[in-house]
Amino acid sequence: GWAWTRALLGVLAEEIHVCGEEAAIELITALAMTCNENVEVFKYKRLTDLQVETAALVSLDNVQPGDCIVCFSKNDIYSVSRGLEARGHEAAVIYGGLPPGTKLAQAQKFNDPSSSCKLLVATDAIGMGLNLSIKRIIFYSLIKPIMSENGEKEMDVISVSQALQIAGRAGRFGTQFDKGSVTTFKSEDLPTLKNLLSNRPELLTKAGLHPTAEQIEMYAYHLPNSTLSNLMNIFESICTVDDSLYFMCNTEDFKFLADMIQHVPLPLRARYVFCCAPINRKMPFICSMFLKFARQYSRNDAITYNWLCRHLGPPFAVPKTITDLVHLECVFDVLDLYLWLSTRFLDLFPAVHQVRALQEELDKTIQEGVTQITKLLEASGITKSSSSSMEDENEDTLEERLKQKAIKSRGRLTDRLMAEGLLTPSMLNQLKKEWQQSTQYLDEPDYKKPRRTTKRKPRT
C-alpha cells in the first residue's frame, strides 16, 4: 500500500532492514535505485522440515495437540471453537480484530507446555508478529475475502504467498516441535493446497502510491469549490503514474471518509489527514466516533480524556455476548484512532498516556471475554447450524452490498450509508440531535470561528 511506500522511501534512517519473501527483492532494489541507494540481500533457509499430509482432517474428532485450525471468517472461528469445546478440548483463539495484548495472552496460553490448552483456532493473523509453537496447520477453508481493484469485497482462493506464509508457521525452529505438517479440513481442498505450496509467489513488481496533501492543495487552489472527494476523483482521472514501478492505490475508503465529514468545517490539510485515518468503515460505532472527533477538531476544542470517557463509557464490563465483545473491540479501535490522530494533532488530542492506560485496561477485559468465547456464543444464541446460516446470510448481504455500491453515486451520503448497512435510522436520529446541538453551539456569542488560512498561489 501507499503508506508502506512512503515509509520505505521517506524514513529518516541511515540503514533500513526489510524482512519479507524473495518476491519483493526486485521491487525493493528498483525503489532503492531511484534514491541512489544500495541494497544488500541476505537469504535464510528454513531450518526444520515441513510436509504436506496425504489426508485431510475431515472431522474435528481427529485433532491432535499442537494443531492450529486456520479460518478466514469470524463465523468459522465461532463454529470451530464451539465444535472443539463440545468434544472436550480447550482452544486458544486469535484473530485480527483482537488487541495486541489479547493476542499475546492467547499465544502464551497455547505455547505453554503445562497448559491444558493444546489447540489454536485462528485467522491468518498468526502469520504476523506472533511466535507460536504449532505442530500442524489445518486450513479450514482456502477461500478468503479479498479486495478487488475496484475496492469491492470478493471471495477467492488464497494466494501462493498467503498459503506459504501460513503453512510456514508449523514446526518453526526453536519451538517444541522439530518438524511441521500442513493439511486441509476438507478432502476436496487438499489437491489445491498442494498445488499452492508447490508454486513460487508472484513477483511484486509495483509499489502503491496515493496523492499527497500538497498535490491535493494545488488542485484545490484551481478548483476552490470542489469537495475533497471530487478533488480526489479529478486527480485520479488526469494524473500520470510511472506504471513500470508504481500503481495508484484504491481511494474508496479515503473518499468515503471525505464524504462523511464534508459538512464539517475543516481546513483542507486537516481534512486530508483525517481521511487518511486507518479505520474500519464497516463498523458504525467507529465511524460515529470518527465524525465526533472531526467536529471537536473543527471547533478547536481539545478531545480530552473526560470527553472521551463520556462517549466511550468506561469502566468496561466483561462481555456477556458476542455483540458485547465486538463492541469492545470497536472501542479499542477508537482508542487506536485517537492515538493515531494524536501524532498529527497533539494539541487537540493531548490525553495520550491516559488513553494508553485505558487501552491496557480494556485489553484485559477483552481477554476475559475471549477466554470464554463459547459461553458468549451460547448467550448470543449462536449454534453451529446458526453460524452456517449466518455465513450464508453474510454472503447474501455481501452480494446485495455490491449491487448497492454499483449505484451509490446516484444517492446522497445518508442513502449510501444506510444502503451499505453502516447507518441505522436510530443512528441517523442521534446524528441529527448532535447536529442541532452543534448548531446551537456555533450560534453562541462566545464561539470563535476557526481561523482560515488564505490561499497562496504556488511558487513557480
Side-chain angles (χ1 to χ4, degrees):
W2 58 269
W4 181 88
T5 307
R6 287 189 186 179
L8 181 69
L9 296 178
V11 65
L12 297 176
E14 291 186 5
E15 188 171 285
I16 304 173
H17 292 245
V18 181
C19 300
E21 60 188 27
E22 287 188 44
I25 292 177
E26 289 187 17
L27 175 60
I28 299 294
T29 304
L31 290 173
M33 287 180 63
T34 65
C35 305
N36 295 320
E37 299 285 357
N38 297 320
V39 174
E40 262 187 291
V41 179
F42 297 89
K43 295 184 179 180
Y44 301 91
K45 292 184 178 180
R46 183 183 172 93
L47 299 178
T48 57
D49 291 333
L50 177 67
Q51 62 182 18
V52 182
E53 296 192 348
T54 56
L57 189 71
V58 179
S59 170
L60 293 179
D61 295 328
N62 300 324
V63 294
Q64 302 170 4
D67 280 352
C68 171
I69 303 178
V70 177
C71 307
F72 294 116
S73 76
K74 272 193 178 181
N75 287 331
D76 285 346
I77 290 274
Y78 300 154
S79 176
V80 172
S81 299
R82 188 156 192 180
L84 291 173
E85 184 157 322
R87 290 165 172 79
H89 300 295
E90 183 181 352
V93 176
I94 296 175
Y95 54 86
L98 294 176
T102 302
K103 291 178 186 174
L104 186 59
Q106 291 290 299
Q108 290 172 341
K109 182 172 75 167
F110 173 71
N111 288 340
D112 186 357
S114 62
S115 171
S116 59
C117 176
K118 303 297 183 184
L119 301 171
L120 174 63
V121 183
T123 63
D124 51 347
I126 60 167
M128 295 168 276
L130 290 173
N131 292 318
L132 295 163
S133 186
I134 298 171
K135 182 179 182 181
R136 177 171 65 170
I137 289 286
I138 301 161
F139 285 89
Y140 192 69
S141 170
L142 295 177
I143 304 297
K144 180 184 177 180
I146 62 169
M147 297 300 292
S148 70
E149 293 182 358
N150 298 324
E152 297 178 342
K153 198 173 183 181
E154 297 176 349
M155 308 298 288
D156 200 1
V157 177
I158 61 174
S159 67
V160 171
S161 175
Q162 291 169 333
L164 289 169
Q165 174 73 6
I166 297 169
R169 306 303 293 180
R172 293 288 290 255
F173 180 76
T175 66
Q176 55 183 301
F177 304 110
D178 56 5
K179 63 180 180 180
S181 60
V182 57
T183 187
T184 58
F185 184 80
K186 302 172 186 174
S187 298
E188 58 267 29
D189 285 344
L190 193 54
T192 304
L193 177 64
K194 290 180 178 179
N195 182 54
L196 288 170
L197 297 179
S198 65
N199 287 314
R200 297 173 67 87
E202 292 184 17
L203 293 179
L204 299 178
T205 58
K206 299 179 182 181
L209 294 179
H210 185 278
T212 63
E214 290 79 12
Q215 289 171 321
I216 294 299
E217 284 176 335
M218 181 181 69
Y219 276 60
Y221 176 81
H222 296 286
L223 300 165
N225 297 321
S226 294
T227 65
L228 179 54
S229 181
N230 286 340
L231 289 172
M232 185 65 75
N233 284 329
I234 295 168
F235 182 92
E236 290 178 307
S237 65
I238 65 176
C239 73
T240 302
V241 178
D242 174 10
D243 57 7
S244 66
L245 193 56
Y246 302 100
F247 69 93
M248 179 66 71
C249 288
N250 186 282
T251 60
E252 288 306 308
D253 285 348
F254 182 96
K255 289 185 284 192
F256 178 90
L257 297 180
D259 287 339
M260 183 187 297
I261 62 173
Q262 183 55 43
H263 65 284
V264 181
L266 291 169
L268 182 60
R269 177 64 69 108
R271 188 182 300 278
Y272 173 93
V273 172
F274 265 87
C275 294
C276 288
I279 71 172
N280 183 357
R281 73 178 195 178
K282 295 188 180 299
M283 304 308 293
F285 179 74
I286 299 175
C287 290
S288 173
M289 290 302 300
F290 171 79
L291 184 56
K292 290 176 182 179
F293 284 163
R295 286 176 179 162
Q296 281 290 105
Y297 182 94
S298 72
R299 299 167 183 159
N300 206 29
D301 285 345
I303 294 85
T304 62
Y305 182 72
N306 288 336
W307 182 95
L308 201 57
C309 289
R310 286 200 306 271
H311 289 81
L312 299 183
F316 305 109
V318 176
K320 297 180 179 179
T321 65
I322 288 295
T323 302
D324 294 342
L325 178 61
V326 171
H327 176 70
L328 291 183
E329 291 169 6
C330 288
V331 173
F332 194 93
D333 287 345
V334 168
L335 296 177
D336 261 347
L337 172 61
Y338 184 100
L339 294 174
W340 187 89
L341 290 167
S342 73
T343 64
R344 280 101 180 142
F345 310 111
L346 183 57
D347 54 336
L348 292 181
F349 291 84
V352 175
H353 298 297
Q354 291 168 299
V355 168
R356 289 194 188 281
L358 185 60
Q359 271 195 321
E360 291 181 10
E361 174 191 330
L362 178 56
D363 201 334
K364 294 176 183 177
T365 305
I366 293 175
Q367 285 180 39
E368 291 185 51
V370 173
T371 54
Q372 50 184 358
I373 194 166
T374 302
K375 292 181 180 178
L376 301 187
L377 291 168
E378 291 174 353
S380 304
I382 299 176
T383 62
K384 184 174 181 181
S385 58
S386 65
S387 294
S388 301
S389 63
M390 281 173 59
E391 190 167 358
D392 293 338
E393 183 180 343
N394 283 347
E395 289 180 3
D396 293 339
T397 305
L398 175 61
E399 183 179 355
E400 184 59 31
R401 286 186 180 182
L402 293 179
K403 292 178 181 177
Q404 292 290 343
K405 284 185 179 182
I407 59 170
K408 66 182 180 180
S409 59
R410 302 179 191 174
R412 298 177 302 160
L413 176 61
T414 51
D415 296 330
R416 286 171 50 188
L417 294 174
M418 296 184 75
E420 294 184 21
L422 302 176
L423 186 65
T424 62
S426 59
M427 289 179 61
L428 186 58
N429 290 333
Q430 179 64 26
L431 289 172
K432 287 179 179 178
K433 290 179 182 178
E434 292 180 9
W435 176 250
Q436 290 172 354
Q437 293 172 359
S438 149
T439 305
Q440 292 173 0
Y441 180 92
L442 295 175
D443 290 338
E444 291 177 4
D446 294 335
Y447 172 74
K448 296 180 180 179
K449 292 185 178 180
R451 294 182 179 179
R452 294 184 179 274
T453 56
T454 57
K455 298 186 177 91
R456 295 181 180 178
K457 189 173 182 179
R459 295 179 180 178
T460 55

